[in-house]
């Protein structure tokens, strides 16, 4: 590895509106040693592929990495994932309130919040499906979501 590679990091071209958290994650990833980058990328690809039958294999190669190589990247990713969960919960509450408390239609909700159309549609479909289910419907539902 050349001295330049050890001293400098070259990021790919990024859009100006790239989320700062994504930029930080990318920065931390680029600071990792090459071998750690390969393992992290491979693990992320496996997770993205969804595993075989939705079952994820244990990330043994990732677990074997020295913690100092991935510690900062993990912190950033945990923060990003945590924020995504909070945002998803907030949007689910927003859809629930507007659909069931305020009585808005899907079209009215979409007009009210133009930045999250796909999510609003998905939540509307899920609420329609699960809020109107009887106990018998739930037993026969192959996609049933059970509380953890």
């Amino acid at each position: 590895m050349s001295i330049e590679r050890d001293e400098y990091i070259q990021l790919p071209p990024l859009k100006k509106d790239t989320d700062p958290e994504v930029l930080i994650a990318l920065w931390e990833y680029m600071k990792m040693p090459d071998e750690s980058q390969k393992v992290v990328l491979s693990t992320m690809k496996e997770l993205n592929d969804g595993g075989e039958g939705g079952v994820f294999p244990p990330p043994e190669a990732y677990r074997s990495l020295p913690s100092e190589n991935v510690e900062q990247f993990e912190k950033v990713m945990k923060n990003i994932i945590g924020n995504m969960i909070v945002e998803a919960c907030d949007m689910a509450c927003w859809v629930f309130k507007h659909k069931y408390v305020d009585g808005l239609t899907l079209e009215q909700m979409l007009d009210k919040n133009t930045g999250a159309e796909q999510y609003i549609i998905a939540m509307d479909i899920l609420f329609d499906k699960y809020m109107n289910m009887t106990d018998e419907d739930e037993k026969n539902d192959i996609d049933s979501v059970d509380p953890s």
Side-chain angles (χ1 to χ4, degrees):
M1 186 176 286
S2 68
I3 292 174
E4 288 87 21
R5 175 64 174 108
D6 288 338
E7 291 183 26
Y8 298 99
I9 296 174
Q10 179 66 48
L11 294 177
L14 301 167
K15 289 187 174 185
K16 288 182 179 180
D17 65 348
T18 299
D19 187 303
E21 285 185 318
V22 172
L23 185 58
I24 292 168
L26 183 56
W27 182 256
E28 292 299 335
Y29 174 82
M30 294 301 294
K31 289 178 7 184
M32 283 187 236
D34 286 344
E35 199 54 42
S36 296
Q37 285 182 8
K38 289 176 186 173
V39 171
V40 168
L41 183 60
S42 172
T43 302
M44 292 180 95
K45 283 181 179 178
E46 285 178 27
L47 293 173
N48 189 49
D49 292 343
E52 194 170 311
V55 177
F56 298 106
E60 299 302 331
Y62 183 84
R63 289 185 184 149
S64 69
L65 292 175
S67 63
E68 61 271 7
N69 289 358
V70 294
E71 182 177 20
Q72 292 302 314
F73 179 73
E74 283 182 351
K75 284 181 183 178
V76 172
M77 291 305 293
K78 285 178 183 178
N79 191 45
I80 290 172
I81 292 168
N83 288 342
M84 289 169 60
I85 292 169
V86 168
E87 190 173 333
C89 291
D90 285 347
M91 282 303 300
C93 290
W94 186 92
V95 171
F96 183 89
K97 178 198 178 287
H98 285 85
K99 182 176 180 73
Y100 293 104
V101 176
D102 298 342
L104 297 183
T105 65
L106 175 60
E107 291 75 23
Q108 290 169 320
M109 287 188 286
L110 293 173
D111 288 342
K112 216 170 171 49
N113 189 335
T114 58
E117 292 92 350
Q118 290 179 336
Y119 187 83
I120 292 169
I121 292 168
M123 287 307 304
D124 185 67
I125 291 168
L126 286 172
F127 280 136
D128 283 346
K129 181 176 181 178
Y130 291 109
M131 294 299 286
N132 298 321
M133 275 187 142
T134 65
D135 288 339
E136 192 59 37
D137 291 336
E138 190 171 340
K139 289 176 190 171
N140 297 326
D141 185 18
I142 59 171
D143 294 329
S144 181
V145 177
D146 294 323
S148 55

